[in-house]
Amino acid sequence: MYRRRIAPTAMALALLSGCAATIDQDGLEQRTAQAIGRSVGQFTITDRSEETGGRINYTANTRDGKTYRCYLYGATGFQKAMSFGQTPHSDAICTAMVGGAGKALPAQPAAGAKGAGAECNALLRAAGRC
C-alpha cells in the first residue's frame, strides 16, 4: 500500500522537474559572450527567469554600461531523456537596449543615407547605400 502512495508522487515530481532547462551558468555565459561579442567575465547576468518548455530570459550588463535583453532555449530534462541526451541548447539571442544603464546608443543613419565609417559594410556598399 505504501508503494501505491509514493508512485504517483514520484511520477509527478519527475514530470515537473523535466520542464526546467538543464543548461548551467557556464553554458549560459558562453552563449551570451558569443551573442554580444564580449569575453566571459566582461558582463554579468541578472533577472534570469525560466518559462515552461526551457526558455530562459535574462539581462546581460557589460562593464562599460551596455544592457542586453537575451533569451535562449535550454533542453529540458524530459527532452534530454526522450532523445537520450542528444537535444542541444540553442544559441543566445540578445538585443541591445537603448538607453541601457543611462547611456543611449548612437543614432543609425537613414536607410538611403550616403556615408562612410562603421555603418558602411560590404553589403551596404554592394547595394549602393554608402
Side-chain angles (χ1 to χ4, degrees):
M1 183 179 297
Y2 181 69
R3 284 187 180 175
R4 289 183 187 166
R5 291 182 193 164
I6 296 294
T9 304
M11 181 67 87
L13 287 174
L15 287 174
L16 288 176
S17 67
C19 295
T22 58
I23 191 167
D24 61 4
Q25 186 69 16
D26 289 339
L28 189 67
E29 289 176 0
Q30 288 173 358
R31 284 168 173 76
T32 303
Q34 182 70 32
I36 66 174
R38 307 285 175 113
S39 298
V40 172
Q42 292 183 338
F43 58 90
T44 57
I45 293 177
T46 59
D47 302 327
R48 179 177 171 166
S49 65
E50 292 189 28
E51 295 179 13
T52 306
R55 180 174 166 145
I56 302 171
N57 301 304
Y58 58 97
T59 301
N61 300 300
T62 65
R63 289 183 183 170
D64 61 352
K66 296 196 185 213
T67 301
Y68 298 86
R69 277 301 291 154
C70 306
Y71 72 92
L72 63 76
Y73 284 92
T76 65
F78 179 74
Q79 290 168 332
K80 281 193 159 199
M82 296 308 291
S83 66
F84 302 103
Q86 299 301 310
T87 303
H89 303 293
S90 76
D91 291 332
I93 313 258
C94 297
T95 302
M97 302 307 292
V98 175
K103 295 183 180 180
L105 296 175
Q108 297 295 319
K114 303 275 185 185
E119 300 87 26
C120 189
N121 59 33
L123 187 57
L124 290 173
R125 275 192 293 280
R129 295 194 174 191
C130 55

